[in-house]
Amino acid sequence: QLFHNPNYFSFPSLTIAFVLTFFTACWTYGTGVPSGLFVPCLMIGSIYGRLIGNVVQLLYGAILGNQANGVPFGFFIGTYALVGAASFLGGVVRMTISLAVIILESTNEILFGLPVMIALMVAKWTGDYFNEGLYDIHIHLKRMPLLEWDPPQEADLLTAKEVMSKNLTVLREHESVEYIEKVLIEKSHSGFVVVKNQLVSSYTGLSPIELNINDLTFSHGASDKTNSYTTPMERSSAEKYEPASFRGLILRSQLLAMLHYKVYNHSDKVLSHEDMIKFYPKGLNSSTLTK
């Protein structure tokens, strides 16, 4: 009736319907009831589009004066309801091309294509000026991991080193199963740096080893400073600051696969690609590791 009947709805009835439908849709979506937003947004948009159409109808008829049963000749009020429905839904969910296709296929009127597309683009630009779409806002509220198409404006001037952790949890080239299990339980990193250093290699404790990123060198050979020590005391003092040599990177999922299949040295089973990706990207929790 909102799209077809020109004299069926009055201003008070449309206003009351708009207010009730709007707040009911907000309440049901906020409570988590699976009521959806697609149809309520179309309903709300068609109501306020019809309200605007009624206003334009009065002004159009008052100016021209050519009316038949209170409706000006050549005036189709249902078009306003259709454009209002498209603009409201497009402003809420920020849909453009797909929504225009849905509206045109539902009405089977290609003549409505231009006003519908203009309304959708204006609704999207206006909404983007103030905030994100409702679904995007809800994703942030639920803290769901989602990589956006475009980075936020705050990230334009950021570099990788400004967001990386400077204290790295490292592994040595030869580690015990007990130490690896403790690292996986206490640390939540997805990858660990493998290093080689005289002081690090001689460490016998079980607490995870952490090195500052400034103490890490990507040179696989010995440091040039090592050959410049002239006395045992100078060499012992300088070894504390000798950079650790970077050997590679190993993922948490790879460590979990090696522990699961008991691959402890080179002579053990050779894992296939399917075995290695079994724990990627999800891994075992601490209770599973301790069993």
Side-chain angles (χ1 to χ4, degrees):
Q1 297 294 335
L2 287 169
F3 293 149
H4 304 292
N5 197 320
N7 295 315
Y8 192 77
F9 300 101
S10 61
F11 282 103
S13 62
L14 289 173
T15 304
I16 295 173
F18 175 80
V19 173
L20 292 178
T21 308
F22 179 82
F23 285 103
T24 302
C26 295
W27 177 71
T28 54
Y29 187 75
T31 55
V33 177
S35 57
L37 281 177
F38 198 89
V39 175
C41 287
L42 288 176
M43 182 69 178
I44 297 170
S46 62
I47 293 174
Y48 88 72
R50 183 62 182 262
L51 276 170
I52 297 176
N54 285 352
V55 174
V56 176
Q57 175 179 309
L58 293 176
L59 296 177
Y60 188 75
I63 294 175
L64 298 181
N66 53 343
Q67 301 183 12
N69 297 324
V71 179
F73 294 113
F75 187 87
F76 302 100
I77 196 171
T79 306
Y80 289 86
L82 178 65
V83 174
S87 64
F88 190 88
L89 182 59
V92 170
V93 301
R94 309 297 159 81
M95 296 171 61
T96 53
I97 299 176
S98 59
L99 184 56
V101 173
I102 293 173
I103 295 296
L104 294 180
E105 289 185 349
S106 301
T107 58
N108 198 25
E109 288 289 345
I110 193 64
L111 295 177
F112 295 152
L114 182 60
V116 167
M117 287 188 287
I118 293 176
L120 287 174
M121 294 307 301
V122 172
K124 184 182 185 318
W125 291 335
T126 305
D128 289 341
Y129 180 79
F130 294 99
N131 53 26
E132 297 178 318
L134 182 60
Y135 293 147
D136 296 321
I137 294 176
H138 200 67
I139 288 174
H140 294 315
L141 291 176
K142 291 292 186 179
R143 298 183 181 275
M144 297 179 180
L146 178 67
L147 185 62
E148 302 287 350
W149 287 104
D150 299 317
Q153 295 181 354
E154 297 81 4
D156 289 342
L157 301 178
L158 287 178
T159 58
K161 67 178 182 180
E162 294 174 343
V163 297
M164 292 176 60
S165 175
K166 295 186 180 298
N167 294 324
L168 306 177
T169 301
V170 300
L171 298 176
R172 295 162 293 188
E173 293 177 304
H174 301 280
E175 290 288 3
S176 65
V177 174
E178 185 179 9
Y179 177 80
I180 293 177
E181 288 184 349
K182 189 173 181 62
V183 170
L184 293 176
I185 292 173
E186 295 186 1
K187 303 297 181 179
S188 59
H189 307 312
S190 296
F192 300 93
V193 177
V194 181
V195 299
K196 181 180 181 181
N197 177 274
Q198 182 177 354
L199 295 179
V200 174
S201 300
S202 62
Y203 175 74
T204 58
L206 290 179
S207 298
I209 304 173
E210 291 189 357
L211 291 179
N212 191 281
I213 194 172
N214 296 324
D215 297 330
L216 189 66
T217 177
F218 291 92
S219 175
H220 290 273
S223 176
D224 294 337
K225 296 181 180 179
T226 306
N227 300 325
S228 62
Y229 308 142
T230 57
T231 65
M233 181 176 295
E234 290 179 355
R235 182 177 182 85
S236 175
S237 175
E239 279 179 348
K240 298 180 181 180
Y241 306 99
E242 181 182 351
S245 179
F246 175 80
R247 292 301 183 184
L249 182 70
I250 188 168
L251 300 180
R252 169 182 289 268
S253 59
Q254 296 171 342
L255 291 172
L256 291 171
M258 294 170 66
L259 292 176
H260 179 76
Y261 294 106
K262 296 181 173 57
V263 180
Y264 300 139
N265 52 60
H266 296 290
S267 61
D268 289 333
K269 172 186 176 182
V270 178
L271 298 182
S272 64
H273 177 69
E274 289 73 16
D275 295 333
M276 297 299 291
I277 66 174
K278 180 179 180 180
F279 301 95
Y280 181 84
K282 298 181 179 179
L284 301 176
N285 52 35
S286 57
S287 61
T288 307
L289 279 174
T290 54
K291 291 182 179 179

